[in-house]
Amino acid sequence: MAKTPAVVRAERRLYDGAPPVIPHQPLGAACIACHDGDGLAVPDLGYAPPMPHAATAGMSALSHCQQCHVFQRTGERFRDNSFAGLRQDLRRGRRLYGGAPPVMPHPVFMRENCTACHAGPAAREEIRTSHPERRNCRQCHLEERLSGGFQRP
Amino acid sequence: MNRRTFLKVLGSGVPVAAFSCRDRREAERLAAGESVNPSELAWGKAPCRYCGTGCGVEVGVKDGRVMAVRGDEKSPVNRGLLCVKGYHLPAMLYGADRLLHPQRRLPDGSLERISWDQALALVADKFAHTLATGGPGEVAVYGSGQWTVFDGYAAVKWVKGGMRSNNIDPNARLCMASAVMGFMTQFGSDEPMGCYDDFEAGDDFVLWGNNMAEMHPVLFSRILERKRQKPDVRIVDVATRRTPSSQYADLYVEIRPNTDLALANAVLHLLVANGAVDRAFVRDNVVFMRGVEDLEEIGYGCYGEQAERYVFKDRGRPSSFAELEAFLADYAPARAAEICGVPEEQIRALASLYGDRGRGTVSLWCMGVNQHVRGTWMNNLITDLHLLTGKIGRPGANPFSLTGQPSACGTVREVGTLANRLPADMLVTRPEHRAKAEEIWGLEPGTIPAQPGYHAVDMFRALARGDVKTMWIQTTNPWVSLPNLHRFERRPGDGRFIVVSDIYPTPTTDVADLILPSAAWVEREGVFGNSERRSQQWEKLVEPPGEAREDAWQIIEVARRMGMGHLFPWPEDDWHEPMWEEYRRFTLGTGKDLASYAELRAARGLRWPVVDGKETPYRYAAGFDPYVKKAKGVHFYKAKAYGERAAFWLRPYQPAAEVPDEEYPFWLTTGRVLEHWHTGSMTRRVGQLHRAVPAAYAELNRADAAALGIGDGDRVRLRSRRGSLELEARVDGRGQPPRGTVFVPFFDESVRINELTLDAMDNISKEPDYKKCAVRVERA
Ligand code: SF4
């Protein structure tokens, strides 16, 4: 059975929110040679999505990517481990009413570049935007930072 | 690399990594639609368990288990970012082989599970027996910069105030003791004046033997961000091998091992020659000092009689600017260039950078300078550069020492879990300091002994000799991390009793007579203090597994069983806050004032001195430090011995303890890698981290490898005068040593590179030099 993109995504990280490991071996190039702009289709290897956090304060093309993303050089474990992490929440973002734009169901920090995951060849079907040409996503989609409603102080 | 070569690389069919079964099962569960909204987790704050950066994390808990962490956006240290170790923290708690129960070693070498009651009684009995038969000189506690403040405080109070021994020393002796002695000898008070705000205020950042991109990645990312915003920011990397940090450097200065002393002196020489001395600053704030320089007297702590006990004590005498000028005549750039093996222009470039009054300079260092046979001297020289140019005590211009362990500062340096110290910079050798401790602890005058105990390496030498008989080791793994390990190998039936508290089996628990299971990180309440004087408190968020208990509790319970319960007069279920408030009394009014526990609970850490609830970013600096009454400038008010001025020490260049020769032609230098923390006992149990760097390797220069017929991935044998081992060669890896140097990381317990290292030490701090010894490299 072919793996779904959600499974592939989960395989590459310890839990939802952990940085993915690098799913290919070192290629000798700087990471941003491919993982920048709109990403790059790399023959024989696949599509390299752009990084979603080029706009995060403290992260830039200058950054040391391997501070967080590491190559995997073996498939083995040193010892077994029973950690079971947070899984990706696949529920949809809430809408005020049927035609309203959904709020974002996840925090935006480190994922300011929405199109990195929601558009382009790497975007999973279930989260792909129908309107990639409208680049200012946060004009309509808000980040939900609190549960509960407004209360007067 | 251009596109064509890039495509060629791809064509070579690089395999894609494999993933373990467990990961796959995880992924399938996810695909089946089992998902949790992060808001269903309870999130609590904590500092990261690993390095001295002290990043803030939010820890997500559900059903009593940690399920995720995220970088704490409210933490001023990291503002939401972490490094790969920090992101993978949760799995560190759940390795399948966690120690769950106390276990005693039987005569046949096997382990037997016993109850806590039996275990605690056994420890109390062994310590009491040794005290009664051999006296306080035969017991010892070996602690850790990973101890929480509570663990360290309980230990120091029990050892010094209860057992009346000074034989307590930490693994931090192996990592930042030279920085302690640097700050103590120059400012009369430990820890830096600057802070992380310097990363956004500085113009030039000089890394002295410090691979910051791997060792303090989140702080390095703050420097890179500064450089992005202000492109004229410069990074200088002074190093003995190329590392990922070198890739970002505007100037890479590759020196021969130990010649940083000559390099710094040459820069001082040029600053004086070029008229770059800030004369008014020096006149008002600096005194000149000079210590013992006789190599024969000083030695290296590893030859002759010093190889059993190393007790050299420096003797300072007043010096002067005139004497400095004469002293520096030996360090003309041409001569220094020859010693260091660098082009003269690089020395001049460094001098013009330090000498440029218009720019803020931040010097950063960690193990390269501290693990050094003249580490205190090198600490002194770096600070000297700042004192001579007046670049100190203001935003963006400071010497700043980084720490490797999460609470090397908070626990070891501030609580004083060292053979010669008491809390808040106090010394056991000073009667008024002992009296103050005895008063706060409610002890009879004269309880605390005046004679310092064994420093770490001597403590283990004494254990090997049999002069120490009963030892308790907590939160550290000396049978991987001590230098010259073969010296300390245990023989069965040696009559010693060694207790080890840890969370996983290690080579150290392998030699223990009694193993106690400890609670880790957020399985207990704690406080860590990071490199910038920030005390960070956290609450217990999950239960520890099995019967694991926190280290401080273990000590308190043993003390009770030895009739020393009066030292810990607090309720059994609520002792953290009262213990903190008692400890805090040592600090109030001293310039090292800690925040109250209530303040710490509410804050994302606070930097001491904390006065009236307000933290201090810059010590000794007018407008920042509440102890400075002047309107502007600096006041080194803790340096009582020098008339409240900072001491500039004249310190010469001396060679390493062992240098390559015909038989052992390579330098061996050791250290860490980004993915693993220290001896790897935690990080190797995290799949992603282990798979990234599964084993130690020997990093070789490409030309050396070719000359020896060694390729990347080949097996090689390294031999030193002390041992020999086999491992994989790495050529053109992430680090590139120069010709004649080989680098090996020390995290791998099956390749204990410290079997080869030398137990040479800094003359003042007694910190071993893990960066320099001589080895032979052969094809295996
Ligand atoms: S290991 Fe150090 S840099 Fe990495 S997250 Fe932890 S504290 Fe931060």
Side-chain angles (χ1 to χ4, degrees), chain A residues 15 25 42 67 73 80-82, chain B residues 10 15 84 87 96 685 691:
Chain A
Y15 58 91
Q25 290 302 303
V42 184
Q67 174 181 325
R73 296 180 187 276
D80 267 344
N81 192 303
S82 69
Chain B
L10 287 176
V84 69
Y87 284 115
R685 286 173 170 85
R691 293 193 290 264

Side-chain angles (χ1 to χ4, degrees), chain B residues 268 272 288 319-329 388 648 650:
Chain B
L268 288 170
V272 172
F288 291 86
S319 177
S320 65
F321 188 75
E323 191 181 354
L324 173 68
E325 282 185 292
F327 171 89
L328 291 175
L388 209 60
F648 181 114
L650 284 62

Side-chain angles (χ1 to χ4, degrees), chain B residues 48 50-55 82-87 215-218 677:
Chain B
C48 172
Y50 301 119
C51 88
T53 298
C55 293
L82 297 172
C83 82
V84 69
K85 293 184 295 302
Y87 284 115
M215 305 318 153
H216 298 89
V218 168
W677 197 76

Side-chain angles (χ1 to χ4, degrees), chain A residues 100-117:
Chain A
V103 297
M104 301 181 196
H106 63 74
V108 175
F109 182 68
M110 301 282 279
R111 295 187 263 190
E112 294 85 355
N113 178 8
C114 308
T115 55
C117 306

